Amino acid sequence: MLTVVNPEDPTPAAVSAPAVSGGSLIDEIVRDGARRMLAAALEAEVAAYIAAHAGELDENGRRLVVRNGHARPRQVLTSAGAVEIVAPRVNDKRLDEQGERRRFASAILPAWCRKSPQINEVLPLLYLHGLSSSDFVPALQQFLGTSSGLSAATITRLTAQWQDEARAFGDRDLSGVDYVYLWADGVHLNVRLDEAKLCLLVMVGVRADGRKELVALAEGYRESTGSWADLLRDCKRRGMHAPVLAVGDGALGFWNALREVFPDTREQRCWFHKIANVLAALPKSAHPGAKKALAEVWNAEDREHARRAVAAFKLAY
C-alpha cells in the first residue's frame, strides 16, 4: 500500500493502489489544492463581509453581524472527484425594509452549489497566475463565474498568502529525503487565458518506506527539455539525490533532461500511458479484454511470467 504525504505533515494518508498511475496522482493533488484554496477563499469572503458591517451595533452596543461557527461538511463534485468543504457561517441580525432577517450569501460557494465542472481546469491557473493580483482576477472570474464576493484587498491578501506558501514549497530543502521512484508528467491546461502552450510540470516521488509525496510543481513551456531540465536542476540544487528509477510518458523532453541532470537514474515508460496508447490502436470492442490482458503483464510476479503474458497478448491481439 503506497501513501501520499504532505512534506509539512508527517502523518501519511492512505491511498489505494490504483493511485499509482500518473493521472490519479494528479487528480489527487488537484482535489487537495481545490479544498485548501476554497477554504481560504471562503474564510476571506466571510471576514470581509463581517468587517464591512463591523460598525452596525444593536441598542446594547453589540455587533449585528458576527461569525457563527461552520456549516456541516458538504461535497462539491469536480471532474477529479468530490471535494469536501466546510463553509464558515455568519449570524446577520440586521433587518431589511420588509422586516425580514438579512442573510449572508456566499458568491463563491452558493448554498445550491454541488458541482463545479471547471474547477480542475482553472485551479492550476490559480497556482500559476495567483502571484499577481492583475493575473489572479481573470482566473478567479473563470473559477467562480464572477468576480463578486471578494474585494480587491481580499484578493491581494489571498494572493500574498498563496505566494508565500508556493515560495516556501518551492524553496524547501530536499537533501533529507531519498526518492526511490520518481513519477513525472506534464498537465496541459484547457483554460489558458493569454498563455499559449502552457502546462504544469509535476513530479511525485516515492520514499524508501513506500510513502508518496509531491516533489515539485512548476510552470513549463509545453514539455520541453529546457523546462524539465530547469526543474530537475533546481531540485538537485536543493539537495535532491538521484532517484533509482524515473517513470514517465513518451515525451522526449523529460528523458533528455533526466539524462543530463541525473544520468544514473534508470528509465521506465509509464504503464498508464502505455495502456492508453495500445487501446487507442484497438477497436473499442476489444478494450475490456485487452485491459485485462495488459494487467497480466504489469502485474506479473517476475520477468518470465511477464514474457508469457506478453506472448499471450500478441496471440490474442
Side-chain angles (χ1 to χ4, degrees):
M1 173 76 71
L2 293 177
T3 56
V4 173
V5 298
N6 184 328
E8 299 178 359
D9 182 2
T11 304
V15 179
S16 59
V20 172
S21 63
S24 297
L25 291 174
I26 293 169
D27 285 344
E28 186 177 346
I29 293 166
V30 170
R31 284 195 298 270
D32 185 62
R35 179 184 59 79
R36 292 170 181 268
M37 285 190 165
L38 274 174
L42 290 169
E43 291 288 346
E45 182 188 33
V46 166
Y49 183 84
I50 293 174
H53 303 290
E56 300 185 47
L57 310 174
D58 62 14
E59 60 275 9
N60 297 317
R62 296 174 180 173
R63 291 187 177 185
L64 292 172
V65 182
V66 295
R67 292 183 63 99
N68 188 26
H70 290 79
R72 292 181 179 179
R74 62 171 160 142
Q75 291 187 333
V76 178
L77 294 178
T78 75
S79 57
V83 177
E84 186 174 271
I85 301 298
V86 181
R89 297 193 304 182
V90 175
N91 185 6
D92 194 336
K93 303 175 184 177
R94 298 174 301 149
L95 302 178
D96 60 19
E97 292 76 6
Q98 287 74 38
E100 299 290 335
R101 284 279 297 269
R102 297 182 182 273
R103 291 181 179 274
F104 166 74
S106 173
I108 296 174
L109 189 66
W112 49 263
C113 181
R114 292 295 184 275
K115 185 177 182 181
S116 179
Q118 289 184 319
I119 187 170
N120 42 317
E121 291 184 356
V122 179
L123 181 64
L125 291 176
L126 298 182
Y127 283 103
L128 296 180
H129 294 281
L131 303 185
S132 67
S133 58
S134 61
D135 285 333
F136 182 83
V137 172
L140 185 66
Q141 287 175 334
Q142 295 190 56
F143 179 53
L144 305 177
T146 175
S147 60
S148 62
L150 293 176
S151 65
T154 300
I155 291 176
T156 300
R157 185 168 61 254
L158 283 173
T159 299
Q161 173 187 333
W162 292 336
Q163 182 179 15
D164 290 342
E165 292 176 356
R167 184 182 299 111
F169 176 80
D171 292 341
R172 74 193 191 286
D173 182 25
L174 298 176
S175 61
V177 181
D178 283 328
Y179 298 113
V180 180
Y181 305 118
L182 183 72
W183 274 282
D185 202 359
V187 184
H188 296 268
L189 308 177
N190 292 329
V191 182
R192 301 180 186 275
L193 297 182
D194 294 327
E195 297 289 340
K197 303 173 183 176
L198 189 66
C199 70
L200 286 176
L201 305 180
V202 183
M203 294 198 307
V204 175
V206 180
R207 302 180 181 186
D209 60 5
R211 288 192 295 168
K212 198 164 39 188
E213 70 181 36
L214 178 65
V215 178
L217 180 69
E219 177 181 357
Y221 179 78
R222 287 186 170 180
E223 293 186 64
S224 67
T225 298
S227 295
W228 277 116
D230 287 343
L231 181 57
L232 289 170
R233 279 194 292 264
D234 178 68
C235 291
K236 186 175 182 179
R237 176 187 58 79
R238 291 186 282 125
M240 177 177 166
H241 306 291
V244 176
L245 177 70
V247 182
D249 62 12
L252 295 178
F254 172 71
W255 301 118
N256 290 335
L258 182 71
R259 293 160 195 158
E260 175 187 336
V261 182
F262 294 119
D264 295 331
T265 298
R266 299 179 65 183
E267 304 172 8
Q268 178 176 302
R269 286 285 302 279
C270 172
W271 267 100
F272 181 84
H273 291 91
K274 277 187 179 181
I275 292 173
N277 292 337
V278 172
L279 294 180
L282 295 175
K284 288 187 178 180
S285 60
H287 285 192
K291 283 183 179 179
K292 184 176 180 180
L294 289 169
E296 293 291 334
V297 179
W298 64 268
N299 279 328
E301 59 186 65
D302 54 37
R303 183 174 297 181
E304 183 57 34
H305 284 84
R307 286 174 175 169
R308 292 176 186 173
V310 170
F313 181 86
K314 289 181 179 179
L315 289 175
Y317 301 96

